[in-house]
RNA sequence: GCGGGCGUAGCUCAGCUGGUUAGAGCACCUGAUUGUGGUUCAGGGGGCCGUGGGUUCAAAUCCCAUCGCUCGCCCCA
């Protein structure tokens, strides 16, 4: 509660910034809608087990990044660190497995207890999609394509590169894991402290270590591709072929390992070099075991999430807002006369600002400050003649318009304003 | 959890080898302009110099602690 600051790692989103974020969200939501994805919203907190059971005890999220607390009835509650587990839970809770396949889009805040830095917050926001009940490679291809198009629509595709990898099915992964542990154990003396710890808990995560000493050892480590069984290998090959067919450029990164336990087969990340070490902008993968892990019927799934703050910091945005029209009544009579007219203009969809106080000069200043395009000025002289002074604030030209012609005049001058439907 | 940088006006910052009443630009308010904005001019309000302690005749300035912000590591969106 020191000095009325927001909690560390959280920020107020003021109107200018919010407009950009809403724009980004809408762009992706519209695109997802074209792909047939429907918006879903799950609670921003869940019982802790929802995340604990699915993300994996050894994942960083569960081991040190969860916002967990006890509520008044003693239940352990966790603010969602990501939304895939919540969507999977909702699928089960609502018996939606009857109507597979399902395509979901979501957006909203996520929470992770981390040290904030550039592109990383404790409360951040994601948009994401989940495709449930599709085990065909067509699902992987559609999801990655939707990710690529989302970035493209925001003009960010050329700022990122797509990396993909296959983690294979369970059998392939176990075989690989064994081989990897065998290899790394021979070099355990030279491994970094963190990697050494992961050797027993989560050895695959050592693959994306950034320690030079680890990288050196990893250079000769076995590759996952050599351990994919026939089914997994052909699955991955089909995904890659599909991406090629769609003209989606990607590179295979065998070190790419997603941090969460529930991933299998396809894993992918769109990364940029423009955000320091937080380069991942949009990332996801396949999670065929997740729903079953939560106690539902086996249901395959694939999806991705993108960080809105990261997208926003890569995007140059200019406001798309309508410039307002300032109505400036002088005196109580004029105000009374204009109130119903203002109300009617607003109902027609025009953006009207009625400065709340001040003389003509003050109100003109406000009109200028708001970047209004026109000022409609009316005083006793004008009332007597049932008209208003209509001033173009860019040119300074002004002319008189009958009050009953105001709507027509604005419609003529601002054909793109007004209610669309 | 670990390391670096920084906390002075609403914002961006100057001042810091200690020395009157702490400054600038932008923003804000008032007036020139009581029926006309942007430009200009004149004036004005605003600061526990992050907080606590220490050194000193004297601290925004030096030292320590603490809190906050920020950047990086780990990891992730």
């Amino acid at each position: 509660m020191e000095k009325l600051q927001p909690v560390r790692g959280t920020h107020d989103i003021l109107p200018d910034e919010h407009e950009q974020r809403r724009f980004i969200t809408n762009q992706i939501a519209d695109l997802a809608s074209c792909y047939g994805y429907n918006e879903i919203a799950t609670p921003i907190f869940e019982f802790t087990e929802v995340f604990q059971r699915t993300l994996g005890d050894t994942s960083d999220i569960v081991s040190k990044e969860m916002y967990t607390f006890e509520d008044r009835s003693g239940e352990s509650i966790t603010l969602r660190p990501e939304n895939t587990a919540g969507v999977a839970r909702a699928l089960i809770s609502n018996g939606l497995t009857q109507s597979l396949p399902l395509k979901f889009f979501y957006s909203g805040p996520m929470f992770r207890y981390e040290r904030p830095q550039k592109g990383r917050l404790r409360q951040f926001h994601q948009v994401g999609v989940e495709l449930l009940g599709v085990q065909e490679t067509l699902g992987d291809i559609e999801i990655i394509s939707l990710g690529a198009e989302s970035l493209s629509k925001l003009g960010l595709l050329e700022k990122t590169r797509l990396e993909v990898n296959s983690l294979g099915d369970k059998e392939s992964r176990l075989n690989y894991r064994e081989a990897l542990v065998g290899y790394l154990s021979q070099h355990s003396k030279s491994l970094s402290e963190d990697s050494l710890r992961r050797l027993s808990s989560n050895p695959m995560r050592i693959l994306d270590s950034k320690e030079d000493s680890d990288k050196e050892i990893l250079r000769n480590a076995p590759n996952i591709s050599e351990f994919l069984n026939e089914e997994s290998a052909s699955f991955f090959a089909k995904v890659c072929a599909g991406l090629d067919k769609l003209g989606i450029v990607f590179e295979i990164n065998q070190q790419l390992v997603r941090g969460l336990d529930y991933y299998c087969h396809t894993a992918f990340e769109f990364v940029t070099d423009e955000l320091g070490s937080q380069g991942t902008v949009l990332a996801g993968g396949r999670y065929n075991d997740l729903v079953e892990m939560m106690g539902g019927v086996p249901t395959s799934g694939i999806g991705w999430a993108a960080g809105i703050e990261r997208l926003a910091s890569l995007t140059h945005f200019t406001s798309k807002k309508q410039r307002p029209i300032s109505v400036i009544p002088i005196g109580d009579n004029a105000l009374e006369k204009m109130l119903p007219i203002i109300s009617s203009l607003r109902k027609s969809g025009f953006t009207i600002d009625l400065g709340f106080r001040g003389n003509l000069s003050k109100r003109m200043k406000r009109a200028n400050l708001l970047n209004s395009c026109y000022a409609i000025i009316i005083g006793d002289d004008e009332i007597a003649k049932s008209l208003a002074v209509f001033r173009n604030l860019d040119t300074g030209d002004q002319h008189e318009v009958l009050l009953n012609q105001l709507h027509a005049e604005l419609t003529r001058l601002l054909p793109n304003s007004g209610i669309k439907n």
Side-chain angles (χ1 to χ4, degrees):
Chain A
M1 284 289 261
E2 291 300 310
K3 285 196 296 186
L4 289 183
Q5 282 191 328
V7 174
R8 163 173 260 197
T10 69
H11 286 301
D12 300 310
I13 304 159
L14 301 179
D16 283 348
E17 193 188 343
H18 203 283
E19 193 196 346
Q20 180 188 19
R21 302 165 59 110
R22 175 171 281 191
F23 173 78
I24 290 171
T25 307
N26 287 349
Q27 292 281 306
I28 297 180
D30 289 349
L31 188 66
S33 177
C34 291
Y35 275 72
Y37 287 69
N38 299 303
E39 186 155 8
I40 187 174
T42 65
I44 62 167
F45 48 73
E46 299 272 356
F47 292 119
T48 300
E49 314 160 14
V50 169
F51 304 112
Q52 210 153 36
R53 296 235 310 265
T54 57
L55 302 180
D57 288 333
T58 58
S59 71
D60 276 38
I61 290 185
V62 170
S63 60
K64 59 176 195 182
E65 293 171 3
M66 294 213 301
Y67 257 104
T68 298
F69 56 92
E70 252 185 34
D71 70 9
R72 288 172 185 241
S73 61
E75 299 281 6
S76 180
I77 301 295
T78 295
L79 300 180
R80 61 185 187 190
E82 53 94 51
N83 206 14
T84 302
V87 168
R89 197 232 74 229
L91 183 86
I92 299 168
S93 304
N94 295 285
L96 300 179
T97 42
Q98 301 293 313
S99 24
L100 295 171
L102 284 165
K103 304 165 121 184
F104 293 125
F105 165 85
Y106 63 79
S107 73
M110 308 293 159
F111 306 84
R112 290 183 199 174
Y113 192 89
E114 301 181 272
R115 286 286 292 265
Q117 57 187 276
K118 191 187 184 72
R120 169 183 301 165
L121 297 162
R122 287 187 173 179
Q123 177 179 338
F124 61 106
H125 299 77
Q126 288 185 330
V127 296
V129 294
E130 309 292 351
L131 173 59
L132 292 149
V134 175
Q135 66 266 47
E136 290 81 359
T137 54
L138 209 48
D140 306 58
I141 294 162
E142 175 171 294
I143 281 287
I144 293 175
S145 161
L146 177 50
E149 290 237 11
S150 296
L151 293 173
S152 168
K153 201 170 175 188
L154 295 170
L156 298 180
L157 195 55
E158 55 278 5
K159 291 188 181 180
T160 61
R161 62 176 183 281
L162 169 60
E163 300 185 349
V164 300
N165 192 22
S166 174
L167 309 174
D169 60 12
K170 212 176 286 177
E171 182 190 65
S172 307
R173 228 164 32 253
L174 284 176
N175 287 339
Y176 176 59
R177 186 185 157 123
E178 201 175 310
L180 186 65
V181 170
Y183 170 81
L184 291 174
S185 298
Q186 294 166 17
H187 301 272
S188 55
K189 304 157 290 294
S190 339
L191 280 174
S192 69
E193 202 180 313
D194 278 339
S195 295
L196 203 56
R197 188 164 36 77
R198 292 200 188 102
L199 191 54
S200 51
S201 63
N202 198 342
M204 304 227 335
R205 291 274 304 293
I206 297 173
L207 288 177
D208 54 17
S209 167
K210 279 153 195 154
E211 291 282 337
D212 286 340
S213 56
D214 291 344
K215 282 181 175 172
E216 184 61 32
I217 297 167
L218 288 168
R219 193 176 305 176
N220 297 313
N223 279 324
I224 180 127
S225 59
E226 300 152 20
F227 291 83
L228 295 181
N229 58 25
E230 207 180 315
E231 214 182 316
S232 297
S234 93
F235 188 92
F236 189 44
K238 277 166 89 175
V239 171
C240 293
L243 294 178
D244 283 335
K245 191 134 209 164
L246 287 173
I248 295 170
V249 180
F250 65 96
E251 54 200 70
I252 292 174
N253 175 1
Q254 303 231 25
Q255 319 277 63
L256 173 61
V257 185
R258 312 251 56 226
L260 309 178
D261 274 10
Y262 56 60
Y263 285 112
C264 61
H265 289 291
T266 315
F268 61 95
E269 289 186 355
F270 287 86
V271 295
T272 178
D273 297 322
E274 295 183 28
L275 285 179
S277 57
Q278 276 70 244
T280 308
V281 167
L282 184 155
R286 184 168 270 282
Y287 47 87
N288 290 349
D289 299 325
L290 172 61
V291 176
E292 191 177 4
M293 278 165 71
M294 294 182 94
V297 296
T299 305
S300 52
I302 180 163
W304 52 252
I308 299 212
E309 286 81 2
R310 292 185 185 177
L311 293 173
S313 65
L314 290 172
T315 313
H316 300 289
F317 180 74
T318 47
S319 175
K320 269 113 191 128
K321 273 197 310 232
Q322 262 185 49
R323 293 173 70 188
I325 298 143
S326 288
V327 171
I328 305 182
I330 304 158
D332 290 343
N333 290 338
L335 180 58
E336 211 167 293
K337 188 88 184 170
M338 288 310 285
L339 277 177
I341 296 177
I342 290 168
S343 169
S344 143
L345 289 173
R346 283 176 174 158
K347 277 180 197 155
S348 300
F350 293 106
T351 304
I352 308 289
D353 181 73
L354 173 66
F356 293 92
R357 65 179 75 85
N359 58 24
L360 177 55
S361 174
K362 290 247 175 57
R363 287 169 184 249
M364 285 296 284
K365 274 197 173 123
R366 176 175 167 86
N368 201 56
L369 202 69
L370 294 177
N371 191 30
S372 293
C373 48
Y374 298 103
I376 296 171
I377 304 161
I378 180 168
D380 290 336
D381 297 351
E382 286 77 16
I383 293 177
K385 293 186 273 182
S386 283
L387 50 76
V389 171
F390 196 99
R391 183 179 177 88
N392 181 321
L393 291 174
D394 294 329
T395 63
D397 297 337
Q398 62 184 44
H399 60 281
E400 295 180 334
V401 175
L402 285 171
L403 290 180
N404 61 16
Q405 292 300 305
L406 271 179
H407 191 286
E409 181 73 353
L410 285 171
T411 306
R412 186 175 70 78
L413 291 168
L414 300 168
N416 294 324
S417 292
I419 303 279
K420 303 290 186 299
N421 46 6

